[in-house]
Amino acid sequence: MKKQDRERLLRREVISGSEILLRTLLLEGVECVFGYPGGSVLYIYDAMHGNPDFNHLLTRHEQGAIHAADGYARATGKTGVCLATSGPGATNLITGIATAYADSVPLVVITGNVATSLLGTDAFQEADILGMTQPVTKHSYMARRPGDLPRILREAFYLASSGRKGPVLVDIPKDVSAATAEFIYPEEVSVRGYTPAPEVSPSAVRELGAAIRRAKRPLLIAGAGVIHSGAEAELARLARGAGIPVTTTLLGIGAFPTRDPLALGMAGMHGTVAANRAILGCDLLISVGSRFDDRLTMRPDRFARQAVIAHIDIDAAEIDKLVPSSLPVVGDARAVLTALLHELELTGGEEEGEAGARHDKPTGDWLNELEQIRSIYPLRYHNPEDGLKPQYVIEQMAELTGGEAIVTTDVGQHQMWTAQFGWFNQPRTLITSGGLGTMGFGFPSAIGAQIGNPGRTVISVNGDGGMQMCSQELAVCALHGIPVKIAVINNRTLGMIKQWQELVYDGRHSHIDLSGSPDFVKLAQAYGVRGLRAETKQEARKAWMEALEHPGPVLIDFVVDRDELVYPMVPQGKALEDMIIGTSS
Ligand SMILES: Cc1ncc(C[n+]2csc(CCOP(=O)(O)OP(=O)(O)O)c2C)c(N)n1
């Protein structure tokens, strides 16, 4: 922001709560607010009218707005902002708030509420949104005076984006947005009793360093915390310097390049054989910013039983929550890894960009063993000449973009195939709802990711089920020329549910048939988005190329094999060693 613009915004004047809100958002560096108006936020929308500084994107549903803000935050590392009215506007945000909370995504969520005099009277469009969202927000505020708004908002941004990140809600009653106060922007922000990132304990780092020196079969698990803290370079330096293979959680994908020789791929329920065998066989498991989610561990009591477990996490509450660790290190992942690199004297010499499995390291035998497992059990699928397999669609996407695109997914089989067969060179390039597993997230999150990265290729991979949960946002892409490439992996079923019914419920298919879905090509065209269809391998490759070259939004309906299953798979209730390697049809 230019100095004179900042000075203009900082001017001490008596202005309305709504104007205070807008000014504070601009001073916080907010580039775009994703929102939807209503009665309780009309003063705020009135203040936006004719305000050239302020950028607001009107979605077609509040759920679209919050997932877009979430996608923006995940793709940029900045805090996403969304705005909705009281009552139904606010309640429509709840799934998105819970989605962001589960994955520690920084959001400031602003809701209007009824006037303070009406609070608690069951007034028209009144909802206790603070109460409803308390379990899924990092913190929340009710602004009761317009003059409090700058401090509240500064604190909200600070809390959302520091420590373990997460959504913060700011509820603003209508009269507060209307009333005036002198605008005083606090330069400093502090929240009493809140310590965002604890000091890293030097003795804990020393002990972990010693364990790494002793280990013959060490393994790194990279979780979302690596990406949240921007620790990917430190992680790569540690892995390469000490010859440690790296597996990731679903949300850790991108923390380490997919194609690095030390990369084993994703671990857990649909993880690679090499990653899961590495967990079972390692003698030291170092988790960096992962919370040992049950989709990773499957059975915590049978997880990495041969290993000494080191757990690096910014949130002390995660230590020993699910998997007990004998080497806990509480702190920001980047700070801990930096200290560890010093401890191991890995700070100089080797270039961080230098990839390569270090077979000359003491861990050489272990790396060879894992390489062998990888070559015996690569991710594979039956890829016939005719027809179209979903994995092929993802492989083509990865190949044609060279792993450089930002890819968002929805939830289901296509999400797992994207995680398995996609190719991600950098952090913040796979955006997916991991913790809550929210269908409807994939497409609107891509809109936010694209707004935060105007020059980059952004692709959204969806199932035909999830695509119908937020397809109304096609209007936003068309209207603003937001050039997201939308893939629908169309298997005419709720594929992941069908897969479970096949494997766990003796093939009884109950309510998974998506007959009656729209013609997705026509749906796209109805909104003014280019629509393509691919039913064969040749058509799929051609459609990807056409979409990637087209400057505007494109939807591709990939009509794929209906019966394909995601393998490998560890059935729920089983341990990693019970993995079904499986074959595709
Ligand atoms: C909002 C929501 N409702 C229900 C589910 C449960 N669920 C998980 S995967 C899935 C099927 C998704 O089907 P589709 O979008 O077609 O994707 P596919 O699995 O076929 O790739 C369902 C219903 C969910 N994750 N989120």
Side-chain angles (χ1 to χ4, degrees):
M1 183 183 294
K2 286 200 207 106
K3 194 163 166 254
Q4 66 264 36
D5 289 339
R6 192 175 156 80
E7 276 166 9
R8 179 168 51 84
L9 290 171
L10 280 170
R11 256 201 319 256
R12 283 195 176 198
E13 297 175 288
V14 176
I15 52 177
S16 72
S18 298
E19 282 162 1
I20 290 176
L21 169 69
L22 302 195
R23 276 207 203 178
T24 310
L25 293 178
L26 288 170
L27 286 163
E28 288 294 327
V30 174
E31 295 170 318
C32 181
V33 171
F34 302 88
Y36 206 95
S40 296
V41 287
L42 279 179
Y43 287 104
I44 299 172
Y45 276 84
D46 193 44
M48 282 182 214
H49 185 73
N51 184 336
D53 298 329
F54 200 78
N55 191 12
H56 172 275
L57 189 85
L58 174 68
T59 54
R60 294 299 184 267
H61 191 301
E62 287 87 356
Q63 189 176 358
I66 189 154
H67 290 329
D70 183 321
Y72 172 91
R74 295 188 203 225
T76 61
K78 300 178 197 163
T79 299
V81 182
C82 70
L83 169 61
T85 192
S86 62
T91 55
N92 271 346
L93 297 176
I94 293 177
T95 300
I97 297 173
T99 303
Y101 186 73
D103 292 348
S104 306
V105 177
L107 293 186
V108 170
V109 178
I110 300 161
T111 48
N113 212 328
V114 298
T116 40
S117 59
L118 293 174
L119 285 171
T121 66
D122 301 330
F124 175 65
Q125 293 196 330
E126 183 185 5
D128 175 12
I129 194 65
L130 258 74
M132 288 180 196
T133 58
Q134 204 199 8
V136 288
T137 46
K138 185 170 168 183
H139 197 59
S140 46
Y141 295 90
M142 160 80 75
R144 289 189 174 267
R145 285 181 300 266
D148 292 343
L149 276 167
R151 175 190 56 80
I152 287 176
L153 287 158
R154 287 225 72 187
E155 288 181 12
F157 277 90
Y158 171 58
L159 289 170
S161 62
S162 60
R164 182 173 183 167
K165 297 169 189 180
V168 178
L169 184 111
V170 180
D171 200 22
I172 309 178
K174 188 167 183 176
D175 54 323
V176 175
S177 64
T180 56
E182 188 179 14
F183 177 61
I184 303 172
Y185 183 73
E187 282 302 331
E188 298 293 319
V189 58
S190 74
V191 179
R192 219 185 318 146
Y194 173 67
T195 318
E199 285 286 308
V200 179
S201 151
S203 63
V205 170
R206 262 198 310 277
E207 278 182 46
L208 179 51
I212 291 174
R213 284 203 182 91
R214 275 195 306 271
K216 299 270 182 305
R217 303 159 73 83
L219 176 68
L220 278 159
I221 295 189
V226 175
I227 298 172
H228 286 311
S229 81
E232 56 279 357
E234 289 74 13
L235 178 83
R237 195 177 275 281
L238 174 63
R240 291 169 192 156
I244 309 179
V246 183
T247 177
T248 76
T249 64
L250 174 63
L251 293 180
I253 290 177
F256 193 68
T258 310
R259 297 239 158 160
D260 192 283
L262 287 168
L264 302 175
M266 180 175 72
M269 180 179 264
H270 291 296
T272 65
V273 177
N276 285 347
R277 293 259 174 102
I279 290 174
L280 295 167
C282 64
D283 62 2
L284 171 66
L285 183 144
I286 310 158
S287 161
V288 190
S290 145
R291 61 189 170 85
F292 292 119
D293 174 77
D294 52 271
R295 285 291 192 269
L296 168 71
T297 58
M298 302 307 298
R299 286 271 305 262
D301 58 324
R302 286 167 63 191
F303 179 77
R305 274 186 298 186
Q306 301 183 28
V308 169
I309 294 187
H311 191 176
I312 300 170
D313 206 293
I314 197 162
D315 185 353
E318 289 296 343
I319 306 292
D320 294 344
K321 186 181 89 177
L322 291 162
V323 172
S325 59
S326 49
L327 293 168
V329 191
V330 178
D332 172 71
R334 188 157 171 217
V336 175
L337 292 183
T338 303
L340 196 56
L341 290 171
H342 273 101
E343 175 66 26
L344 294 167
E345 295 171 355
L346 291 173
T347 48
E350 291 182 75
E351 280 301 304
E352 87 193 25
E354 196 186 321
R358 300 300 148 96
H359 295 267
D360 53 337
K361 294 267 188 291
T363 58
D365 287 348
W366 169 234
L367 294 176
N368 285 335
E369 187 183 321
L370 293 172
E371 216 161 81
Q372 222 177 344
I373 297 176
R374 208 163 34 175
S375 66
I376 299 171
Y377 301 107
L379 283 166
R380 61 181 148 209
Y381 64 99
H382 175 58
N383 190 6
E385 263 324 296
D386 56 342
L388 185 58
K389 293 281 184 172
Q391 298 94 325
Y392 180 83
V393 174
I394 304 300
E395 275 180 345
Q396 288 303 305
M397 171 189 83
E399 204 181 296
L400 289 167
T401 58
E404 290 296 322
I406 296 173
V407 180
T408 77
T409 82
D410 208 70
V411 172
Q413 289 182 311
H414 65 280
Q415 178 187 34
M416 293 300 118
W417 286 316
T418 306
Q420 291 178 332
F421 292 90
W423 173 6
F424 304 95
N425 302 336
Q426 290 164 22
R428 306 194 180 283
T429 53
L430 177 63
I431 289 164
T432 193
S433 166
L436 202 69
T438 305
M439 281 174 76
F441 172 85
F443 172 42
S445 64
I447 294 177
Q450 185 79 75
I451 292 212
N453 294 275
R456 287 188 69 174
T457 301
V458 176
I459 298 172
S460 171
V461 181
N462 304 273
D464 46 325
M467 187 65 209
Q468 294 180 68
M469 287 205 178
C470 274
S471 60
Q472 73 284 346
E473 305 305 336
L474 283 164
V476 177
C477 282
L479 182 65
H480 301 287
I482 298 168
V484 173
K485 314 305 173 200
I486 308 145
V488 180
I489 308 295
N490 186 352
N491 55 9
R492 281 86 66 214
T493 63
L494 295 171
M496 188 55 98
I497 303 300
K498 176 167 173 270
Q499 168 152 356
W500 280 56
Q501 291 178 348
E502 247 156 60
L503 300 179
V504 189
Y505 297 89
D506 300 328
R508 289 185 295 279
H509 290 167
S510 181
H511 299 278
I512 44 84
D513 183 0
L514 286 178
S515 296
S517 295
D519 175 327
F520 288 101
V521 173
K522 285 191 184 153
L523 181 72
Q525 288 167 347
Y527 280 104
V529 168
R530 182 179 288 197
L532 305 172
R533 176 164 295 119
E535 299 185 55
T536 64
K537 286 159 73 170
Q538 291 74 13
E539 286 172 8
R541 191 174 165 85
K542 200 164 143 266
W544 269 130
M545 291 198 301
E546 189 178 333
L548 291 168
E549 270 163 30
H550 184 64
V554 181
L555 180 149
I556 314 172
D557 182 23
F558 291 103
V559 182
V560 298
D561 184 343
R562 177 191 182 105
D563 296 317
E564 193 65 17
L565 299 181
V566 182
Y567 283 119
M569 179 175 182
V570 182
Q572 183 121 45
K574 301 274 185 180
L576 292 180
E577 67 239 48
D578 304 320
M579 169 175 237
I580 304 167
I581 294 171
T583 49
S584 76
S585 50

mmCIF file of all heavy atoms in Angstrom, residues 411-414 437-439 463-466 469 491 493-497 514, ligand 1:
data_model
loop_
_atom_site.group_PDB
_atom_site.id
_atom_site.type_symbol
_atom_site.label_atom_id
_atom_site.label_comp_id
_atom_site.label_asym_id
_atom_site.label_seq_id
_atom_site.Cartn_x
_atom_site.Cartn_y
_atom_site.Cartn_z
ATOM 1 N N VAL A 411 -14.299 -33.862 -2.105
ATOM 2 C CA VAL A 411 -14.074 -34.996 -1.202
ATOM 3 C C VAL A 411 -14.653 -36.262 -1.803
ATOM 4 O O VAL A 411 -15.783 -36.268 -2.287
ATOM 5 C CB VAL A 411 -14.696 -34.700 0.178
ATOM 6 C CG1 VAL A 411 -14.657 -35.929 1.075
ATOM 7 C CG2 VAL A 411 -13.946 -33.547 0.830
ATOM 8 N N GLY A 412 -13.861 -37.312 -1.785
ATOM 9 C CA GLY A 412 -14.315 -38.591 -2.323
ATOM 10 C C GLY A 412 -13.178 -39.304 -3.017
ATOM 11 O O GLY A 412 -11.996 -39.026 -2.752
ATOM 12 N N GLN A 413 -13.532 -40.218 -3.914
ATOM 13 C CA GLN A 413 -12.502 -40.991 -4.603
ATOM 14 C C GLN A 413 -11.552 -40.097 -5.403
ATOM 15 O O GLN A 413 -10.337 -40.275 -5.383
ATOM 16 C CB GLN A 413 -13.177 -41.978 -5.562
ATOM 17 C CG GLN A 413 -13.884 -43.128 -4.878
ATOM 18 C CD GLN A 413 -14.485 -44.077 -5.908
ATOM 19 O OE1 GLN A 413 -15.163 -43.637 -6.840
ATOM 20 N NE2 GLN A 413 -14.244 -45.364 -5.744
ATOM 21 N N HIS A 414 -12.137 -39.131 -6.126
ATOM 22 C CA HIS A 414 -11.309 -38.264 -6.970
ATOM 23 C C HIS A 414 -10.263 -37.525 -6.129
ATOM 24 O O HIS A 414 -9.181 -37.217 -6.601
ATOM 25 C CB HIS A 414 -12.208 -37.248 -7.703
ATOM 26 C CG HIS A 414 -12.868 -36.318 -6.757
ATOM 27 N ND1 HIS A 414 -13.982 -36.652 -6.037
ATOM 28 C CD2 HIS A 414 -12.508 -35.082 -6.335
ATOM 29 C CE1 HIS A 414 -14.297 -35.673 -5.221
ATOM 30 N NE2 HIS A 414 -13.415 -34.703 -5.382
ATOM 31 N N GLY A 437 -13.425 -33.053 5.716
ATOM 32 C CA GLY A 437 -13.868 -33.797 4.536
ATOM 33 C C GLY A 437 -15.166 -33.244 3.990
ATOM 34 O O GLY A 437 -16.169 -33.947 3.850
ATOM 35 N N THR A 438 -15.134 -31.967 3.624
ATOM 36 C CA THR A 438 -16.352 -31.249 3.263
ATOM 37 C C THR A 438 -16.641 -31.310 1.769
ATOM 38 O O THR A 438 -15.935 -30.681 0.967
ATOM 39 C CB THR A 438 -16.223 -29.773 3.690
ATOM 40 O OG1 THR A 438 -15.923 -29.729 5.082
ATOM 41 C CG2 THR A 438 -17.483 -28.994 3.403
ATOM 42 N N MET A 439 -17.665 -32.050 1.383
ATOM 43 C CA MET A 439 -18.105 -31.989 -0.018
ATOM 44 C C MET A 439 -18.634 -30.584 -0.300
ATOM 45 O O MET A 439 -19.254 -29.966 0.570
ATOM 46 C CB MET A 439 -19.217 -33.003 -0.284
ATOM 47 C CG MET A 439 -18.733 -34.414 -0.471
ATOM 48 S SD MET A 439 -20.131 -35.552 -0.588
ATOM 49 C CE MET A 439 -20.710 -35.239 -2.260
ATOM 50 N N GLY A 463 -15.934 -34.498 -7.766
ATOM 51 C CA GLY A 463 -16.793 -35.606 -8.148
ATOM 52 C C GLY A 463 -18.089 -35.040 -8.698
ATOM 53 O O GLY A 463 -18.387 -33.850 -8.520
ATOM 54 N N ASP A 464 -18.868 -35.900 -9.343
ATOM 55 C CA ASP A 464 -20.146 -35.395 -9.865
ATOM 56 C C ASP A 464 -21.131 -35.143 -8.728
ATOM 57 O O ASP A 464 -22.072 -34.361 -8.875
ATOM 58 C CB ASP A 464 -20.750 -36.335 -10.928
ATOM 59 C CG ASP A 464 -20.719 -37.796 -10.538
ATOM 60 O OD1 ASP A 464 -19.758 -38.232 -9.867
ATOM 61 O OD2 ASP A 464 -21.653 -38.530 -10.902
ATOM 62 N N GLY A 465 -20.886 -35.760 -7.568
ATOM 63 C CA GLY A 465 -21.721 -35.470 -6.400
ATOM 64 C C GLY A 465 -21.382 -34.116 -5.818
ATOM 65 O O GLY A 465 -22.234 -33.218 -5.732
ATOM 66 N N GLY A 466 -20.141 -33.926 -5.436
ATOM 67 C CA GLY A 466 -19.712 -32.674 -4.793
ATOM 68 C C GLY A 466 -19.862 -31.468 -5.694
ATOM 69 O O GLY A 466 -20.135 -30.357 -5.214
ATOM 70 N N MET A 469 -22.867 -29.560 -5.163
ATOM 71 C CA MET A 469 -23.107 -28.895 -3.883
ATOM 72 C C MET A 469 -22.788 -27.398 -3.922
ATOM 73 O O MET A 469 -23.218 -26.664 -3.037
ATOM 74 C CB MET A 469 -22.298 -29.566 -2.781
ATOM 75 C CG MET A 469 -22.871 -30.918 -2.401
ATOM 76 S SD MET A 469 -22.431 -31.360 -0.738
ATOM 77 C CE MET A 469 -23.277 -32.924 -0.551
ATOM 78 N N ASN A 491 -18.502 -40.269 -12.403
ATOM 79 C CA ASN A 491 -18.728 -41.722 -12.373
ATOM 80 C C ASN A 491 -20.195 -42.058 -12.082
ATOM 81 O O ASN A 491 -20.527 -43.203 -11.789
ATOM 82 C CB ASN A 491 -17.791 -42.404 -11.362
ATOM 83 C CG ASN A 491 -17.905 -41.800 -9.975
ATOM 84 O OD1 ASN A 491 -18.788 -40.985 -9.717
ATOM 85 N ND2 ASN A 491 -17.016 -42.184 -9.088
ATOM 86 N N THR A 493 -21.935 -41.812 -9.691
ATOM 87 C CA THR A 493 -22.272 -42.332 -8.355
ATOM 88 C C THR A 493 -21.560 -41.506 -7.293
ATOM 89 O O THR A 493 -20.616 -40.766 -7.586
ATOM 90 C CB THR A 493 -21.794 -43.786 -8.140
ATOM 91 O OG1 THR A 493 -20.371 -43.792 -8.230
ATOM 92 C CG2 THR A 493 -22.363 -44.753 -9.134
ATOM 93 N N LEU A 494 -21.990 -41.689 -6.052
ATOM 94 C CA LEU A 494 -21.221 -41.196 -4.908
ATOM 95 C C LEU A 494 -20.131 -42.233 -4.691
ATOM 96 O O LEU A 494 -20.258 -43.177 -3.903
ATOM 97 C CB LEU A 494 -22.134 -41.053 -3.684
ATOM 98 C CG LEU A 494 -23.223 -39.993 -3.824
ATOM 99 C CD1 LEU A 494 -24.217 -40.059 -2.668
ATOM 100 C CD2 LEU A 494 -22.606 -38.588 -3.886
ATOM 101 N N GLY A 495 -19.054 -42.072 -5.458
ATOM 102 C CA GLY A 495 -18.069 -43.137 -5.618
ATOM 103 C C GLY A 495 -17.473 -43.656 -4.319
ATOM 104 O O GLY A 495 -17.377 -44.866 -4.104
ATOM 105 N N MET A 496 -17.072 -42.752 -3.439
ATOM 106 C CA MET A 496 -16.396 -43.213 -2.233
ATOM 107 C C MET A 496 -17.354 -43.977 -1.323
ATOM 108 O O MET A 496 -16.983 -44.946 -0.664
ATOM 109 C CB MET A 496 -15.771 -42.023 -1.489
ATOM 110 C CG MET A 496 -14.899 -42.419 -0.330
ATOM 111 S SD MET A 496 -13.590 -43.572 -0.819
ATOM 112 C CE MET A 496 -12.198 -42.474 -1.024
ATOM 113 N N ILE A 497 -18.617 -43.573 -1.333
ATOM 114 C CA ILE A 497 -19.603 -44.282 -0.519
ATOM 115 C C ILE A 497 -19.852 -45.659 -1.122
ATOM 116 O O ILE A 497 -19.935 -46.670 -0.422
ATOM 117 C CB ILE A 497 -20.917 -43.467 -0.429
ATOM 118 C CG1 ILE A 497 -20.628 -42.060 0.142
ATOM 119 C CG2 ILE A 497 -21.961 -44.184 0.400
ATOM 120 C CD1 ILE A 497 -20.025 -42.028 1.522
ATOM 121 N N LEU A 514 -26.377 -41.479 -8.772
ATOM 122 C CA LEU A 514 -26.612 -40.046 -9.015
ATOM 123 C C LEU A 514 -27.390 -39.795 -10.314
ATOM 124 O O LEU A 514 -27.228 -38.744 -10.941
ATOM 125 C CB LEU A 514 -25.286 -39.286 -9.025
ATOM 126 C CG LEU A 514 -24.633 -39.077 -7.654
ATOM 127 C CD1 LEU A 514 -23.301 -38.358 -7.790
ATOM 128 C CD2 LEU A 514 -25.532 -38.295 -6.707
HETATM 129 C C1 LIG B 1 -21.101 -32.426 2.933
HETATM 130 C C2 LIG B 1 -20.800 -33.880 2.891
HETATM 131 N N1 LIG B 1 -21.792 -34.783 2.832
HETATM 132 C C3 LIG B 1 -21.516 -36.111 2.776
HETATM 133 C C4 LIG B 1 -20.235 -36.546 2.780
HETATM 134 C C5 LIG B 1 -19.930 -38.031 2.743
HETATM 135 N N2 LIG B 1 -19.217 -38.398 1.507
HETATM 136 C C6 LIG B 1 -17.895 -38.548 1.448
HETATM 137 S S1 LIG B 1 -17.348 -38.948 -0.063
HETATM 138 C C7 LIG B 1 -18.901 -38.973 -0.681
HETATM 139 C C8 LIG B 1 -19.155 -39.312 -2.129
HETATM 140 C C9 LIG B 1 -18.674 -38.246 -3.021
HETATM 141 O O1 LIG B 1 -19.151 -38.514 -4.308
HETATM 142 P P1 LIG B 1 -18.653 -37.675 -5.535
HETATM 143 O O2 LIG B 1 -18.692 -36.232 -5.233
HETATM 144 O O3 LIG B 1 -19.374 -38.107 -6.748
HETATM 145 O O4 LIG B 1 -17.111 -38.085 -5.627
HETATM 146 P P2 LIG B 1 -16.430 -39.518 -5.897
HETATM 147 O O5 LIG B 1 -16.272 -40.213 -4.586
HETATM 148 O O6 LIG B 1 -17.352 -40.280 -6.810
HETATM 149 O O7 LIG B 1 -15.128 -39.198 -6.518
HETATM 150 C C10 LIG B 1 -19.835 -38.648 0.299
HETATM 151 C C11 LIG B 1 -21.295 -38.611 0.106
HETATM 152 C C12 LIG B 1 -19.221 -35.567 2.869
HETATM 153 N N3 LIG B 1 -17.925 -35.889 2.915
HETATM 154 N N4 LIG B 1 -19.516 -34.248 2.897
#
